[in-house]
Amino acid sequence: MNAEIVVIGTELLLGQIIDTNAAYMAEELNKIGVGVLYKSTVGDNAGRMREVLSRALERADVVITSGGLGPTEDDLTRQIAAQVTGRQLVLHPELLAQIQQIFAQRQMPFTENNIQQAYIPEGALPIENPQGTAPGYIIEAEQGILISLPGVPREMKYLMQTAVLPYLRKKLGKFQIITSRVLKLCGIGESTVDYAIRDLIQTSSNPTIGLLAHLGQIDIRITAKADSADEAAQRIGELEAKVRERLAGQIFGADHETQESVLVRLLQEHQLSLAVAETNTGGRISQRLTGVPGIDAVFRGGVVLTDRASYQRLLSLSEDAFESHDLISLETAKRLAYMVKDCCGATLGLGIAGYRQSRDGQIIDPAVPSFLAIHMTEGEYITKDYYISGPAELVQTRVTTIALEMLRRAILGLEKS
Amino acid sequence: MNAEIVVIGTELLLGQIIDTNAAYMAEELNKIGVGVLYKSTVGDNAGRMREVLSRALERADVVITSGGLGPTEDDLTRQIAAQVTGRQLVLHPELLAQIQQIFAQRQMPFTENNIQQAYIPEGALPIENPQGTAPGYIIEAEQGILISLPGVPREMKYLMQTAVLPYLRKKLGKFQIITSRVLKLCGIGESTVDYAIRDLIQTSSNPTIGLLAHLGQIDIRITAKADSADEAAQRIGELEAKVRERLAGQIFGADHETQESVLVRLLQEHQLSLAVAETNTGGRISQRLTGVPGIDAVFRGGVVLTDRASYQRLLSLSEDAFESHDLISLETAKRLAYMVKDCCGATLGLGIAGYRQSRDGQIIDPAVPSFLAIHMTEGEYITKDYYISGPAELVQTRVTTIALEMLRRAILGLEKS
């Protein structure tokens, strides 16, 4: 079974938006063994949409569209899908009820134009969308299967996982499994990882190994093909063990784990609690941690500080505490770590004293320092200084990554004070 | 003149790479008045590339490809471009010399397979590539113009700017300018915006109006074509005035402005300062604000609270302050707003008391409340309750959007206490 992905929306042809939906859909389809042969993008234009959808149905077994299901005049996907498969649009009262319910929940007025979202091509299987107001549908037409999903990435992903992939898996029956495992590392360069496992990358064919660098994070992707999930898992397991041996202590997590989810688990396992005093990370550390379920039991609070006055007010630091130190220094970071831990009654305190951005926020400026300190037990600190150049947002992101990795290593005893 | 962009490479159909080339090319083409009607992606497969390129030449005036010009077996663009335009590949000695020079400069061995990069379709105009080893070309064929560029973003961009755009501008002669202006709204539904300006959307052709919904934000995009920048600006200005009239007070900013950049500007203009006490936004409000240049002068600090104990410790709330109230209530939000403002010495205090996520973090769960309060002057609060269902991250994002919009409206006197 092969597929074509059709992304619909004039904004994508203006180039002001980068399409991430198609890559997600392609990856998920490949995982269940459905090869993607083409991706097409077309604007909100009836004639051109008709051409692209007809052609896609001719050349692929399954066509999946994204976008054009909203309530506005521009949203033509339903109509064109009905036309190219020779159907009428029919109202589904249960979809209408569900859309109205979402509006009620969100306390937003339900306007007339939203009714059209409850119309789908005759005979199509509706895909309810609890994440938004645009339902999708599956048409089993003569020319092939046509599936339409909304363009909002979160909704599209949810419906892929809960409706489209299960539907296709059932259609496929027995299929070759393609499984991946992603090992994640932070605070280490791509070339260092490449150097450590280069021979494994070159000599492995099933599983294969690939590296992908994100902002401050390296993913090692191990991908196996097999007839069964067990066989795939075994193939991956063997290679993973070799990779882990080469990079002992550096891999913070795997697959859907994040730095913050791993950290919350470690805090729970070690019966520790954390409080955080942030400067140039601007609250990002607190924000990432508080997004994790179970955080309540291990997070005692955070403060975001901008100037000397806020240090003093929020952490009751006496005037003279700063007299002998620079505001941005290792001493200040240690003091912040101690004070925030003390103030919030946590077992661990993290303090960061750092510059918000390079001068003028220019990337090319010289790197500015961030000083990080974790207060472990009385008088014991783990510290680090980190230099980066760039605008405020980049500094926030990178220093947060460094801080979370430092906390992980501190809890596991991988860093010495 | 209109164009189709064809992106070539199997890796893009596996979904492991997000294509950013097509968006760049589309934006640059639109700027000089070349509309992009289709984008297509195809793998490194001769038959399918032939189909896509032939079809593209049929339906567009100019076809621009990206990718498939490298030295390996997989790189088929040259051959297929020659086939679909009925030409032979011919060696260009000056291209070969240039490729060899690049290898020499980089002190890399020149291998045999690189010679094929100096072959381009007969009669094509070569595009030298000083940034890499894959030259491009322009074929003026009977079916239309076919231009091939390498897939490496840096090289593609360089050749677009130095060769392709100048070539197309010359072809176009006097060219039309396409300019857009984006008006941004938060805390309002797409269908409400559509309802308010539907007639303008329907009746406007130059400029056109389009709507785009992000997470909690609606963009109204006004796009004009004109012979000069002045004329385009005037056309946009007239329609913008009508849109603004319909949505008075709802548009928070335009183009590259963000909620936080607008808010920082308003705080500066009104000589106000802000302190923030966050619960279920987890620090995201502080984080977004502190990413804006100039924030230091107007942001007095933030606290991130999780439980009753942290409320008391960080904001010196006495035990009995909570006795008579629920922890998640409007009263608590007001108290947080007052305390954080007082504690940090700001003129405005924002307090949020809200649930972090729906039970179990499931999307389908009933919405949970967030109570928001801004302390304006003694005894004067602006308040709001907001209901949302979903996981912690979604709650963080949406409540932050609501809070920033509420602050904007409060400063502008659009919200009454």
Side-chain angles (χ1 to χ4, degrees):
Chain A
M1 188 186 280
N2 62 56
E4 174 157 349
I5 294 168
V6 178
V7 181
I8 295 164
T10 300
E11 68 277 10
L12 293 152
L13 296 177
L14 294 174
Q16 285 148 344
I17 285 179
I18 287 168
D19 166 40
T20 57
N21 280 1
Y24 176 86
M25 293 161 91
E27 187 167 20
E28 294 302 307
L29 290 169
N30 274 287
K31 276 188 199 163
I32 64 166
V34 176
V36 176
L37 301 187
Y38 304 92
K39 295 194 306 198
S40 301
T41 306
V42 63
D44 304 307
N45 171 288
R48 292 194 281 273
M49 281 172 67
R50 214 175 288 127
E51 186 203 337
V52 168
L53 283 183
S54 307
R55 161 64 47 138
L57 281 168
E58 271 171 37
R59 64 192 182 184
D61 303 323
V62 184
V63 177
I64 309 187
T65 71
S66 154
L69 292 181
T72 75
E73 288 289 310
D74 277 356
D75 294 303
L76 300 171
T77 304
R78 278 177 294 269
Q79 287 91 316
I80 308 301
Q83 286 173 20
V84 299
T85 57
R87 287 150 198 249
Q88 299 294 315
L89 285 173
V90 292
L91 179 69
H92 281 239
E94 79 282 6
L95 291 179
L96 184 59
Q98 198 235 332
I99 294 167
Q100 284 170 327
Q101 194 193 336
I102 294 229
F103 273 87
Q105 262 179 17
R106 296 188 181 171
Q107 299 176 301
M108 293 187 328
F110 180 86
T111 49
E112 279 291 300
N113 49 0
N114 287 292
I115 295 176
Q116 64 166 299
Q117 297 187 106
Y119 281 84
I120 66 171
E122 198 172 359
L125 309 168
I127 305 177
E128 284 195 22
N129 179 1
Q131 302 249 338
T133 61
Y137 51 79
I138 298 172
I139 309 174
E140 295 182 339
E142 280 171 35
Q143 309 101 306
I145 298 170
L146 174 56
I147 302 176
S148 294
L149 297 177
V152 179
R154 193 173 50 89
E155 300 177 18
M156 177 280 293
K157 289 178 187 176
Y158 182 83
L159 299 184
M160 277 292 286
Q161 294 299 337
T162 57
V164 176
L165 295 170
Y167 167 84
L168 292 176
R169 270 204 208 92
K170 210 166 162 187
K171 281 270 159 198
L172 286 163
K174 184 170 179 298
F175 61 93
Q176 254 221 333
I177 284 180
I178 301 179
T179 314
S180 286
R181 183 153 172 84
V182 179
L183 306 177
K184 300 176 177 183
L185 304 87
C186 279
I188 184 171
E190 185 178 10
S191 55
T192 310
V193 176
D194 181 58
Y195 191 77
I197 61 170
R198 176 175 283 189
D199 58 320
L200 298 177
I201 293 175
Q202 283 170 352
T203 57
S204 305
S205 61
N206 185 16
T208 56
I209 310 186
L211 292 188
L212 188 64
H214 307 279
L215 205 61
Q217 181 176 315
I218 309 293
D219 290 351
I220 303 173
R221 179 184 296 275
I222 306 175
T223 306
K225 274 190 196 186
D227 290 333
S228 72
D230 281 353
E231 191 197 328
Q234 199 202 324
R235 283 177 180 274
I236 288 173
E238 285 165 17
L239 191 53
E240 181 181 346
K242 288 186 201 165
V243 172
R244 283 189 179 273
E245 204 184 303
R246 305 280 180 91
L247 293 160
Q250 302 274 13
I251 296 164
F252 75 79
D255 296 335
H256 292 294
E257 287 183 318
T258 58
Q259 282 192 286
E260 53 268 32
S261 73
V262 167
L263 197 55
V264 168
R265 176 167 54 68
L266 288 176
L267 288 166
Q268 288 166 341
E269 285 171 8
H270 290 74
Q271 296 185 292
L272 295 168
S273 63
L274 178 67
V276 178
E278 306 188 50
T279 52
N280 61 348
T281 51
R284 194 167 190 92
I285 296 174
S286 293
Q287 182 243 316
R288 284 184 59 182
L289 287 168
T290 55
V292 179
I295 183 70
D296 292 54
V298 296
F299 187 74
R300 290 282 174 273
V303 293
V304 181
L305 310 163
T306 48
D307 57 0
R308 193 174 291 254
S310 68
Y311 285 38
Q312 283 157 5
R313 289 191 185 107
L314 278 169
L315 292 177
S316 333
L317 293 171
S318 63
E319 278 284 346
D320 66 281
F322 284 116
E323 272 178 16
S324 52
H325 309 298
D326 283 338
L327 205 58
I328 294 174
S329 67
L330 198 53
E331 271 313 307
T332 301
K334 287 164 78 169
R335 200 167 283 266
L336 290 176
Y338 176 78
M339 294 301 297
V340 79
K341 164 191 169 154
D342 188 56
C343 178
C344 297
T347 56
L348 294 178
L350 169 68
I352 299 179
Y355 287 96
R356 186 165 296 129
Q357 59 187 354
S358 301
R359 185 166 41 83
D360 305 327
Q362 294 303 305
I363 293 285
I364 44 171
D365 277 353
V368 291
S370 298
F371 299 97
L372 297 86
I374 302 171
H375 186 266
M376 304 295 288
T377 57
E378 201 51 47
E380 193 198 335
Y381 292 92
I382 286 171
T383 60
K384 190 179 185 77
D385 52 339
Y386 176 72
Y387 291 78
I388 183 173
S389 64
E393 267 211 4
L394 181 77
V395 172
Q396 283 186 350
T397 305
R398 295 301 285 267
V399 176
T400 295
T401 299
I402 294 293
L404 294 175
E405 173 66 5
M406 185 178 162
L407 279 165
R408 183 186 76 88
R409 297 178 64 85
I411 294 170
L412 290 173
L414 297 168
E415 295 276 350
K416 292 283 163 273
S417 61
Chain B
M1 189 187 277
N2 63 56
E4 174 157 350
I5 294 168
V6 178
V7 181
I8 295 164
T10 300
E11 69 279 9
L12 292 153
L13 297 177
L14 295 173
Q16 285 153 343
I17 287 180
I18 288 170
D19 166 40
T20 57
N21 280 3
Y24 177 85
M25 293 161 89
E27 189 167 18
E28 294 301 307
L29 290 170
N30 273 287
K31 277 188 200 163
I32 63 164
V34 175
V36 176
L37 301 185
Y38 305 91
K39 294 193 308 197
S40 301
T41 307
V42 64
D44 304 306
N45 171 288
R48 291 194 281 274
M49 280 172 66
R50 215 174 287 126
E51 187 203 337
V52 167
L53 283 184
S54 307
R55 161 64 48 141
L57 281 169
E58 269 170 40
R59 62 192 183 185
D61 303 322
V62 183
V63 177
I64 308 187
T65 71
S66 154
L69 292 181
T72 76
E73 288 290 311
D74 279 355
D75 294 303
L76 301 171
T77 303
R78 276 178 295 268
Q79 287 91 317
I80 307 303
Q83 286 173 20
V84 298
T85 56
R87 287 152 199 250
Q88 299 294 315
L89 285 173
V90 293
L91 179 69
H92 281 239
E94 79 283 5
L95 291 179
L96 183 58
Q98 198 236 329
I99 295 167
Q100 285 170 325
Q101 193 194 338
I102 294 234
F103 273 88
Q105 266 175 14
R106 296 187 181 172
Q107 298 177 301
M108 295 186 324
F110 181 85
T111 50
E112 278 293 302
N113 52 359
N114 287 292
I115 295 176
Q116 66 166 298
Q117 297 186 106
Y119 281 82
I120 66 172
E122 198 173 358
L125 310 167
I127 305 177
E128 286 194 21
N129 180 1
Q131 303 256 330
T133 61
Y137 51 80
I138 298 172
I139 310 175
E140 294 183 341
E142 279 171 37
Q143 309 101 306
I145 298 171
L146 174 56
I147 302 175
S148 294
L149 298 176
V152 178
R154 195 171 47 88
E155 299 177 20
M156 178 278 294
K157 287 177 188 177
Y158 182 83
L159 298 185
M160 277 292 285
Q161 294 300 336
T162 56
V164 177
L165 295 170
Y167 167 84
L168 291 176
R169 269 204 206 94
K170 208 166 162 188
K171 279 270 161 200
L172 286 163
K174 186 167 175 301
F175 67 88
Q176 275 213 314
I177 284 178
I178 299 183
T179 316
S180 287
R181 182 154 173 86
V182 179
L183 305 177
K184 301 177 175 181
L185 304 88
C186 278
I188 184 170
E190 184 180 10
S191 55
T192 309
V193 177
D194 180 57
Y195 196 75
I197 59 170
R198 172 173 277 198
D199 58 320
L200 297 177
I201 295 175
Q202 284 170 348
T203 57
S204 305
S205 60
N206 184 18
T208 55
I209 308 186
L211 293 187
L212 186 64
H214 308 280
L215 205 62
Q217 180 176 316
I218 309 293
D219 289 351
I220 302 173
R221 179 183 298 277
I222 305 175
T223 306
K225 276 189 197 186
D227 291 333
S228 71
D230 281 353
E231 191 197 327
Q234 198 201 325
R235 282 176 181 276
I236 288 173
E238 284 166 17
L239 191 53
E240 181 182 346
K242 287 186 199 163
V243 171
R244 285 190 179 270
E245 202 184 303
R246 304 280 181 89
L247 293 160
Q250 303 274 12
I251 295 164
F252 75 79
D255 296 332
H256 293 295
E257 287 182 318
T258 59
Q259 282 193 287
E260 53 269 32
S261 73
V262 168
L263 197 53
V264 169
R265 177 168 53 72
L266 288 177
L267 288 167
Q268 288 167 340
E269 285 172 4
H270 290 75
Q271 294 185 294
L272 296 168
S273 63
L274 178 68
V276 178
E278 306 190 49
T279 52
N280 61 348
T281 50
R284 195 168 189 91
I285 296 175
S286 292
Q287 181 242 317
R288 284 185 57 184
L289 287 170
T290 55
V292 179
I295 184 68
D296 292 53
V298 296
F299 186 73
R300 289 283 174 274
V303 294
V304 181
L305 310 163
T306 49
D307 58 359
R308 194 175 290 255
S310 68
Y311 286 38
Q312 283 157 6
R313 289 190 186 106
L314 277 170
L315 292 177
S316 333
L317 293 170
S318 64
E319 277 284 347
D320 67 280
F322 284 117
E323 272 179 15
S324 52
H325 308 299
D326 283 338
L327 205 58
I328 293 174
S329 67
L330 199 52
E331 272 314 307
T332 301
K334 288 164 77 170
R335 201 167 283 266
L336 291 175
Y338 176 78
M339 294 301 297
V340 78
K341 164 189 168 157
D342 188 53
C343 179
C344 295
T347 55
L348 294 178
L350 169 69
I352 300 179
Y355 288 96
R356 187 165 296 127
Q357 58 187 353
S358 301
R359 185 166 39 82
D360 305 326
Q362 293 304 305
I363 292 289
I364 44 176
D365 276 354
V368 291
S370 298
F371 298 97
L372 298 88
I374 301 171
H375 187 266
M376 303 294 288
T377 56
E378 201 50 48
E380 193 199 335
Y381 292 91
I382 286 170
T383 62
K384 191 181 186 74
D385 52 337
Y386 176 71
Y387 292 77
I388 183 172
S389 63
E393 264 213 7
L394 181 75
V395 172
Q396 282 186 351
T397 305
R398 294 300 285 265
V399 176
T400 296
T401 299
I402 295 292
L404 293 176
E405 174 65 5
M406 186 178 162
L407 279 166
R408 183 186 75 88
R409 296 178 64 86
I411 294 170
L412 290 174
L414 298 168
E415 296 276 349
K416 291 282 162 278
S417 62

